[in-house]
Amino acid sequence: MMTGKVEFIDVILEVEGRRFLDGVTWQLSPGQSAVVGGAPGSGKSFFPRLILGLPGLQEADHVRMWGDVLLDGVSLYDMDRDELIEVRRSIGTVMAGGGLIDNMDVERNITLPLAYHGGRTLASETAQQLQRVVRMMELNDLLRPGLRPVALNREEKMRVAIARALLSNPRILMVDELLTGLDRTTSAALVDILTGPQEVGGRLFTSSSLRAFLDRADRFWLLEQGKIIDLGDSESVRRHNHPWVQNDLATTA
């Protein structure tokens, strides 16, 4: 049984000649809510992508990696294609922008993860799971037949993407740059949902700002110039003397 423990062991990642991660050792424990912060372009979005096995990156992108990423003690990079697909099925992911499919309506976007199980989920179970996440994300008004992502605003797209990620009670939930383009009230509401008592294992959030996650997440890190800095818990973040942290909390106060 997968518990959702993730370990980076001395990970070095270079893309197009730029080193984004430089000997990063890091861990996400089961049940933990973790935030990896950093400036835009720092490379923090590679954390969820590495946990998924670097989808979308090819040899032609000049990707070089050293070290290892373990999921429940097993190297993701020793897995075959079928094993990696099974891992991805167990992870709920919201990438920057939501990643919705434009030619599918809202309901089909939300239930898309169940299609990857090859029909193993009964229609009645699908309906129950759909209603659960629709209530949680307050999406009843968006389930009109034919309503597609192009007609949604930023908040609505993120709510739909989160509903899709939560649909199957994932062992790991990963959300990349949740706060971009959202006001403070909306950000706080979504963070409350995502860090709430759902049946989810470890949770990883990457963000260019930490403030909305204070008192909601368990542990914070900062990625800067390829190095990972352990900031501790919320109280430790508030007291931290790192200039990026101080500036972030001051400008978002």
Side-chain angles (χ1 to χ4, degrees):
M1 174 66 72
M2 178 176 163
T3 64
K5 180 180 180 180
V6 179
E7 298 171 272
F8 284 30
I9 301 176
D10 293 325
V11 173
I12 298 173
L13 179 68
E14 294 181 355
V15 181
E16 297 289 352
R18 177 182 172 186
R19 181 165 292 192
F20 286 95
L21 303 182
D22 189 6
V24 168
T25 294
W26 172 84
Q27 180 174 302
L28 174 67
S29 300
Q32 183 183 58
S33 292
V35 180
V36 175
S42 61
K44 57 189 178 296
S45 294
F46 282 115
F47 274 69
R49 295 185 74 178
L50 280 162
I51 296 168
L52 292 172
L54 286 175
L57 290 180
Q58 309 295 329
E59 185 176 350
D61 296 311
H62 303 290
V63 178
R64 303 176 71 196
M65 177 186 164
W66 298 264
D68 210 350
V69 178
L70 307 182
L71 182 56
D72 294 327
V74 179
S75 172
L76 282 163
Y77 296 91
D78 286 341
M79 294 182 181
D80 61 28
R81 178 180 177 276
D82 290 340
E83 290 171 326
L84 195 54
I85 288 174
E86 195 62 30
V87 164
R88 290 171 179 170
R89 286 174 175 164
S90 70
I91 298 175
T93 307
V94 182
M95 303 307 286
L100 302 180
I101 298 177
D102 290 336
N103 63 357
M104 292 184 177
D105 65 15
V106 168
E107 181 173 333
R108 288 185 65 199
N109 263 285
I110 295 173
T111 58
L112 186 62
L114 299 183
Y116 291 136
H117 289 270
R120 285 179 286 174
T121 303
L122 298 175
S124 58
E125 294 175 351
T126 298
Q128 291 174 357
Q129 289 170 278
L130 175 63
Q131 288 305 310
R132 175 180 59 85
V133 295
V134 165
R135 287 194 301 270
M136 183 187 307
M137 301 309 304
E138 300 177 357
L139 294 173
N140 282 303
D141 292 342
L142 299 184
L143 290 188
R144 301 189 301 274
L147 182 64
R148 297 186 178 185
V150 68
L152 307 181
N153 61 34
R154 166 69 180 178
E155 177 186 352
E156 291 168 339
K157 288 178 180 178
M158 293 308 295
R159 284 182 176 272
V160 172
I162 292 167
R164 182 175 65 187
L166 291 173
L167 186 68
S168 300
N169 294 322
R171 291 289 179 176
I172 302 173
L173 174 66
M174 304 191 299
V175 185
D176 184 29
E177 291 289 11
L178 169 69
L179 309 181
T180 302
L182 300 178
D183 61 40
R184 187 182 302 178
T185 300
T186 301
S187 297
L190 293 183
V191 170
D192 281 346
I193 292 171
L194 287 165
T195 56
Q198 305 97 343
E199 296 180 17
V200 175
R203 309 176 216 206
L204 168 62
F205 307 97
T206 68
S207 181
S208 298
S209 178
L210 303 179
R211 183 176 179 83
F213 296 96
L214 293 178
D215 300 320
R216 297 293 184 271
D218 303 312
R219 194 74 175 270
F220 297 80
W221 285 266
L222 172 65
L223 183 65
E224 183 180 62
Q225 297 181 351
K227 302 294 186 181
I228 195 72
I229 301 169
D230 187 350
L231 302 177
D233 61 12
S234 292
E235 286 305 312
S236 297
V237 171
R238 289 188 174 94
R239 298 192 302 266
H240 210 284
N241 61 6
H242 191 285
W244 187 92
V245 176
Q246 293 182 335
N247 183 66
D248 175 54
L249 298 187
T251 55
T252 56

